[in-house]
Amino acid sequence: MSTELKNKIEEDIKKRNLTPSSVLQTIKNSLNGIKCYAKDGKSILLYLFGVIVEIIMGIIYNINGLEWILIVCILGIILSIELINTAIEATCDAIGKEYNNLIKIAKDCGSGATFIVFLVAIILNLIIFLPKIVALF
């Protein structure tokens, strides 16, 4: 690595005030967000149930590495979208509880994003597991 590039990277780190404690604080904040979702969200139980079912099915049907990668990715995407949707809802609720059409649109779009990823997950699971289930018969 050139000295010039190394100096730019070090300067960027200083500008961002990137220290071990700031990185640790960022991780704590992220985990707190997941904790808030788990406390508040009813869908966390459905999510955890789905994760358990997928792991059990993956083991039973001996899915390959690529299939595991796809399942882990879609589970991560679902959880991420759920967290974003929860953030949208909390932000909208902080703005006001009275009816507002723009807030309704924001909440409905967040919910719609979650639903789309859920449908993709169902399709992905059908693609992975349906042939394995049909092969048993």
Side-chain angles (χ1 to χ4, degrees):
M1 181 176 349
S2 73
T3 307
E4 185 178 323
L5 180 59
K6 188 177 177 183
N7 290 340
K8 280 188 174 189
I9 291 171
E10 287 174 0
E11 185 180 311
D12 188 50
I13 288 172
K14 286 178 186 175
K15 256 195 263 183
R16 295 173 193 264
N17 194 26
L18 195 58
T19 63
S21 63
S22 70
V23 171
L24 186 60
Q25 186 59 48
T26 299
I27 292 169
K28 284 180 182 178
N29 292 342
S30 298
L31 293 174
N32 188 49
I34 295 169
K35 189 170 94 178
C36 289
Y37 166 71
K39 274 185 182 177
D40 192 43
K42 293 172 233 138
S43 57
I44 188 74
L45 296 175
L46 292 173
Y47 177 79
L48 291 175
F49 176 74
V51 168
I52 292 167
V53 167
E54 286 199 81
I55 290 171
I56 291 170
M57 287 183 67
I59 292 168
I60 289 171
Y61 292 107
N62 195 30
I63 63 175
N64 65 42
L66 178 59
E67 292 166 332
W68 276 116
I69 290 168
L70 291 171
I71 286 174
V72 169
C73 285
I74 198 67
L75 289 172
I77 292 168
I78 290 171
L79 181 58
S80 297
I81 295 296
E82 283 283 356
L83 290 167
I84 291 169
N85 185 44
T86 300
I88 290 169
E89 289 182 8
T91 301
C92 290
D93 289 346
I95 291 169
K97 293 285 188 180
E98 66 279 345
Y99 180 82
N100 180 314
N101 194 49
L102 294 175
I103 288 177
K104 180 183 180 346
I105 291 169
K107 286 184 170 189
D108 288 353
C109 287
S111 180
T114 301
F115 185 67
I116 288 171
V117 174
F118 174 72
L119 291 177
V120 170
I122 289 173
I123 292 167
L124 177 68
N125 281 290
L126 287 173
I127 291 169
I128 292 172
F129 292 113
L130 194 58
K132 295 173 186 334
I133 293 169
V134 169
L136 293 175
F137 297 103

